[in-house]
Amino acid sequence: MAQAHPDHAELPALYRAEVGVFRERWTMSVIGPDLGVAAGPNIDLGPAEARTTAHPDDPGRYMIAASGEVPVLPREQAVRVLETHGYVVEAAAREDARTDQGWTQITMSDWTAPCQPIAP
């Protein structure tokens, strides 16, 4: 996994990745500190076909009480695409047991993760 740029490594994340379903496809954007789009918008991650039964105590679902059938976050693909665009999920978020390796579900089909620029 890529490492955060040394200028950002010990600081709180100023960027966030947002992944969600739009028209049955996963899309991702990286939002910057000024709320502008830093990467994207709407980088295509593929179809949102896989589903799972969600439970409120699943990793990443501590902010909402999701239950029932929800689309499965394509986490590995999102991380690869994020790194391709020069960002990495914040280390502290990846280590937080409440998250799904840094990702937090905020609606039935939307996830977010704090991220930082990658080291050169």
Side-chain angles (χ1 to χ4, degrees):
M1 175 168 282
Q3 299 298 315
H5 190 284
D7 293 344
H8 292 261
E10 300 301 319
L11 299 173
L14 297 175
Y15 298 85
R16 73 179 181 277
E18 294 181 350
V19 176
V21 176
F22 179 72
R23 295 186 179 172
E24 298 302 316
R25 296 192 67 81
W26 284 104
T27 63
M28 179 172 65
S29 298
V30 177
I31 309 301
D34 61 354
L35 300 181
V37 175
N42 301 328
I43 301 163
D44 185 57
L45 299 179
E49 296 170 340
R51 302 257 188 224
T52 188
T53 301
H55 303 284
D57 56 345
D58 290 343
R61 295 195 172 102
Y62 71 96
M63 291 183 68
I64 64 171
S67 60
E69 195 169 273
V70 297
V72 176
L73 173 69
R75 186 178 6 88
E76 288 90 18
Q77 184 177 3
V79 168
R80 279 194 308 274
V81 171
L82 194 60
E83 290 178 357
T84 300
H85 285 83
Y87 297 91
V88 64
V89 174
E90 180 186 47
R94 287 192 314 262
E95 296 166 4
D96 186 340
R98 298 176 303 171
T99 70
D100 184 3
Q101 297 183 26
W103 295 90
T104 302
Q105 189 174 23
I106 54 175
T107 71
M108 293 298 279
S109 60
D110 291 298
W111 292 75
T112 187
C115 55
Q116 298 169 313
I118 289 178

